[in-house]
Amino acid sequence: MSTVPLVASINSSNSELCESIPPLLGASLTELTAWVQSQGQASYRGKQLHDWIYHKGARSLADISVFPKSWREKVTDVSIGRSSLHYRSVAPDDTVKYLLKLADGEIIEAVGIPSDKRLTVCVSTQVGCPMACDFCATGKGGYKRNLGRAEIVDQVLTVQEDFQQRVSNVVLMGLGEPLLNTENVIAALKCLNQDVGIGQRSLTLSTVGIRDRIRQLAQHHLQITLAVSLHAPNQNLREQIIPSAKPYPIEDLLAECREYVEITGRRVTFEYILLAGVNDLPEHALELAKRLRGFQSHVNLIPYNPIEEVDYKRPNRERIQNFMNILQQQNIAVSVRYSRGLEADAACGQLRTSKK
Ligand code: SAH
């Protein structure tokens, strides 16, 4: 995906460089206004364009009926960047899983999770994932490419339009590792906040941790929620289940998280998958509590959601409760995420790039 500024790339592209035109989605009001002006249009057309692509569901410039027909006919090679629906399935708990087809034919997943007054969207940031965590279905399918900012924003609009309800929360917990695609992810988060209108605190980026990237993210001073997939209380166990953790000791990861808290003033959420007999013993809970003592954080336990390729087991409720109790007794803030969408293979770790 091109990162060339919108106006420069579109103007230089006109005919022969057509492929390098970035889609409009993801662009700010200022960028869109500059672009319409560069097209010889009045600046108020920028506001109209912004409104149509972010709030009125325009899928192409031809849809924007308030624009002069003669101009619409000229800019047919400019894409808004919307995906097409490849497959949709609804789980008994009303979670909706979408397989979306991108311009190059790749397929990604997004999930819509309604609850009370909220509508949360679980968004992908890459086609596939290179991280290969042992317990996660996404990594088993390999990795293709990063998503562009338009492709990330599109997922949120798609779910919003389908539910006909405003999206209240976005979690970057779909396919991919967001911090391997930092530039587009940050651009998409800013767009979701400023253009789509979702509060920064309602945007969550989940990462397994890539050296230096949490520190870099902190420099952007966003008020988003950072969730870190810790999954083990020590390096040995962590690298058994997350092979990519080998060159990045848990101490270094946690040191970066501490810096993040200092710089942004936001506490960090630590995600901890519970794999029966592997990382869910009382001694693991005690070790985790010791490691996180004094850390402005919150532990989110995720009971394992089964996938075909491995034979991990989800602990029973008693074991989960026990793990939670130990953390609480040690004054660690903790909650359990009972994943939604299990029956549609739409729960954490069950997402793939193909229909199941
Ligand atoms: N790459 C990001 C986003 C991954 S998905 C990350 O690693 O954080 C969001 C969460 O689901 C992560 O914490 C991930 O480790 C967890 N997860 C992966 N597979 C799972 C499974 N089978 N059951 C439960 N959670 C899983």
Side-chain angles (χ1 to χ4, degrees):
M1 188 68 39
S2 169
T3 52
V4 187
L6 199 60
V7 173
S9 64
I10 292 184
N11 284 344
S12 69
S13 69
N14 279 339
S15 52
E16 70 282 9
L17 286 176
C18 273
E19 308 86 57
S20 69
I21 298 178
L24 297 178
L25 217 53
S28 65
L29 178 58
T30 312
E31 284 178 288
L32 292 174
T33 304
W35 178 66
V36 295
Q37 286 178 313
S38 77
Q39 293 281 308
Q41 299 295 316
S43 62
Y44 73 91
R45 298 270 182 222
K47 175 81 184 75
Q48 288 180 327
L49 179 57
H50 187 270
D51 211 33
W52 279 76
I53 67 176
Y54 292 116
H55 303 294
K56 290 193 165 147
R59 306 190 70 83
S60 82
L61 289 180
D63 291 345
I64 306 182
S65 55
V66 291
F67 283 175
K69 202 155 174 253
S70 55
W71 181 46
R72 277 188 275 156
E73 279 163 3
K74 262 199 245 153
V75 284
T76 49
D77 57 347
V78 177
S79 153
I80 288 177
R82 299 304 308 265
S83 62
S84 58
L85 183 63
H86 179 67
Y87 176 80
R88 177 184 185 276
S89 73
V90 185
D93 66 5
D94 294 334
T95 294
V96 183
K97 170 166 113 167
Y98 305 82
L99 293 186
L100 304 176
K101 194 178 211 161
L102 307 176
D104 62 356
E106 295 292 352
I107 304 281
I108 54 163
E109 288 205 20
V111 184
I113 310 159
S115 66
D116 297 333
K117 293 197 181 89
R118 292 184 4 171
L119 174 58
T120 300
V121 187
C122 176
V123 163
S124 296
T125 55
Q126 298 185 306
V127 182
C129 184
M131 301 312 287
C133 300
D134 203 32
F135 43 78
C136 179
T138 307
K140 309 287 176 203
Y143 166 72
K144 282 277 177 49
R145 65 171 175 85
N146 277 335
L147 294 184
R149 66 177 183 178
E151 292 169 326
I152 299 172
V153 174
D154 164 74
Q155 298 169 60
V156 176
L157 297 182
T158 297
V159 176
Q160 183 158 280
E161 288 157 11
D162 187 44
F163 274 82
Q164 297 191 359
Q165 180 187 338
R166 277 187 75 87
V167 167
S168 57
N169 298 72
V170 172
V171 293
L172 303 188
M173 296 186 186
L175 310 176
E177 170 43 54
L179 292 188
L180 290 176
N181 187 14
T182 317
E183 190 177 327
N184 291 332
V185 162
I186 290 175
L189 288 172
K190 286 186 176 163
C191 171
L192 290 172
N193 175 233
Q194 288 159 17
D195 305 299
V196 181
I198 304 169
Q200 286 199 22
R201 285 162 189 251
S202 305
L203 303 171
T204 300
L205 184 156
S206 175
T207 178
V208 71
I210 309 289
R211 191 184 284 284
D212 295 330
R213 300 283 168 93
I214 292 176
R215 184 175 292 124
Q216 285 162 15
L217 178 68
Q219 298 304 333
H220 289 265
H221 295 277
L222 299 173
Q223 286 296 296
I224 62 164
T225 301
L226 175 68
V228 175
S229 296
L230 197 61
H231 299 332
N234 61 58
Q235 176 66 11
N236 232 338
L237 186 51
R238 189 163 195 265
E239 62 183 49
Q240 262 176 50
I241 56 178
I242 306 176
S244 69
K246 280 202 179 84
Y248 186 30
I250 194 168
E251 292 78 16
D252 295 1
L253 168 63
L254 291 174
E256 275 195 58
C257 293
R258 280 206 171 79
E259 279 183 46
Y260 186 89
V261 173
E262 275 163 29
I263 294 172
T264 63
R266 303 274 298 149
R267 71 176 183 176
V268 172
T269 297
F270 289 109
E271 294 161 289
Y272 193 103
I273 190 170
L274 287 170
L275 306 166
V278 177
N279 67 351
D280 73 331
L281 306 181
E283 68 222 49
H284 296 131
L286 282 171
E287 196 180 354
L288 181 66
K290 205 168 150 202
R291 210 173 258 288
L292 298 182
R293 192 153 297 141
F295 202 128
Q296 267 194 58
S297 63
H298 173 99
V299 174
N300 193 206
L301 301 173
I302 320 174
Y304 168 67
N305 298 315
I307 64 166
E308 259 162 30
E309 293 87 343
V310 282
D311 59 2
Y312 290 120
K313 297 265 174 318
R314 169 188 279 220
N316 61 29
R317 290 219 170 217
E318 198 187 327
R319 274 179 93 122
I320 297 169
Q321 191 58 47
N322 196 30
F323 198 94
M324 192 165 161
N325 291 346
I326 296 173
L327 290 177
Q328 274 169 342
Q329 282 154 13
Q330 302 290 319
N331 292 320
I332 303 288
V334 57
S335 56
V336 182
R337 183 195 304 167
Y338 283 103
S339 299
R340 305 269 307 270
L342 260 181
E343 296 84 351
D345 278 321
C348 291
Q350 295 186 314
L351 305 189
R352 300 165 189 268
T353 51
S354 60
K355 184 167 144 185
K356 273 256 314 166

